[in-house]
Amino acid sequence: MHDNFAQDDYQWPVCVTPRCGRQLWVAEAGRYACRPCEDQTAKRLTELGPLFRRLNETATLMRGARRPGGATSGSRTPPIPPRLEVLALTANGGVATRLRDIEDSWRTALGWTVAPWRGSPLQAVPEHIKFLANNLPWAVSSYESVGQDIDDLRRLHAECVAVAANEHRPGRVNIGRCPTRYDDGTLCRADLTATASSHRVHCGQCGARWETLGEWKQLREQQDAVLREDAGVAA
């Protein structure tokens, strides 16, 4: 009698990434994750940087922040409707924190110090992405929990893509009245609306348009001037 297990009982190694489970090729022996998962993750990391910058710009607009280097007269760009999913991804606890947590787990496995990137999310995200991209080849070959991290990065990337693509279009909100003057000097005063999906504001009554960040600032300044003028008349 022989105690050898039947060949049918042999379990061929498979990729540890959730939702994958591909059988590893002979050339992938010793790896935890398959090469397609590694390649897809590397691609997602490359795309996360531009996606985060785009979302951060939208979040800045929603907060009504001044343009960098702009005047400090107190004028602000008209805020656009808040989208909680944008703010959740760009604030503390969002993209930067989720990338940092993965980096910290890899650093712990490597016996290195925790991630030193503790600045603002805008400063930290590129550093986290750089670290993860550089050490991804190590992780797929040597880090047993890499499958969950790959899946976390997949979900984070998908969230950013969905929000950046504005799959859930926000409603329009009023941002004040149109400050445009007609040839006779009278004000248009039509209600203006905006959404978080676009920088463009268009007055449906007089046809005036504001399409760039600089023009948004001009719009707020013009609206403030009209308010001051109305207050003077009322006085």
Side-chain angles (χ1 to χ4, degrees):
M1 294 180 64
H2 297 284
D3 295 329
N4 294 345
F5 290 104
Q7 189 173 4
D8 291 342
D9 293 334
Y10 177 72
Q11 298 294 319
W12 194 265
V14 298
C15 177
V16 299
T17 304
R19 303 163 58 95
C20 179
R22 291 188 183 92
Q23 289 189 343
L24 299 178
W25 293 90
V26 173
E28 296 174 321
R31 294 168 57 102
Y32 287 108
C34 65
R35 292 193 183 279
C37 280
E38 178 184 359
D39 292 342
Q40 281 295 323
T41 303
K43 181 175 181 290
R44 290 179 181 127
L45 286 169
T46 299
E47 294 173 351
L48 266 175
L51 281 169
F52 181 78
R53 288 194 297 273
R54 179 176 172 183
L55 293 175
N56 190 69
E57 290 172 358
T58 300
T60 299
L61 282 174
M62 284 191 288
R63 298 184 187 104
R66 297 182 181 89
R67 295 175 59 208
T72 57
S73 64
S75 297
R76 296 170 55 150
T77 55
I80 57 181
R83 294 176 61 196
L84 296 182
E85 66 271 30
V86 174
L87 298 178
L89 287 169
T90 57
N92 291 328
V95 174
T97 300
R98 291 162 71 175
L99 292 176
R100 183 201 66 199
D101 290 346
I102 297 174
E103 177 173 344
D104 281 348
S105 68
W106 291 12
R107 285 177 173 272
T108 299
L110 287 164
W112 296 352
T113 57
V114 296
W117 327 116
R118 305 296 180 185
S120 70
L122 187 60
Q123 296 170 318
V125 165
E127 299 295 343
H128 293 315
I129 291 174
K130 180 180 178 181
F131 176 91
L132 296 177
N134 288 343
N135 290 279
L136 180 61
W138 162 82
V140 297
S141 297
S142 306
Y143 185 50
E144 189 173 358
S145 301
V146 69
Q148 186 58 56
D149 291 337
I150 288 176
D151 195 54
D152 289 345
L153 290 169
R154 176 193 63 79
R155 287 188 284 108
L156 178 60
H157 177 270
E159 289 175 37
C160 291
V161 168
V163 174
N166 196 36
E167 288 186 354
H168 304 290
R169 298 187 65 84
R172 304 190 71 86
V173 298
N174 192 292
I175 60 169
R177 296 184 179 276
C178 177
T180 303
R181 292 185 183 275
Y182 292 108
D183 292 340
D184 62 2
T186 59
L187 289 164
C188 174
R189 295 187 184 275
D191 288 331
L192 297 177
T193 61
T195 73
S197 63
S198 175
H199 301 162
R200 297 180 176 87
V201 175
H202 173 230
C203 178
Q205 182 164 301
C206 72
R209 293 178 178 272
W210 297 266
E211 300 189 350
T212 66
L213 294 181
E215 289 173 350
W216 272 65
K217 184 174 184 292
Q218 293 172 7
L219 169 59
R220 175 56 72 194
E221 290 172 346
Q222 291 167 355
Q223 289 175 324
D224 289 345
V226 171
L227 290 175
R228 289 193 298 270
E229 180 181 326
D230 289 345
V233 171

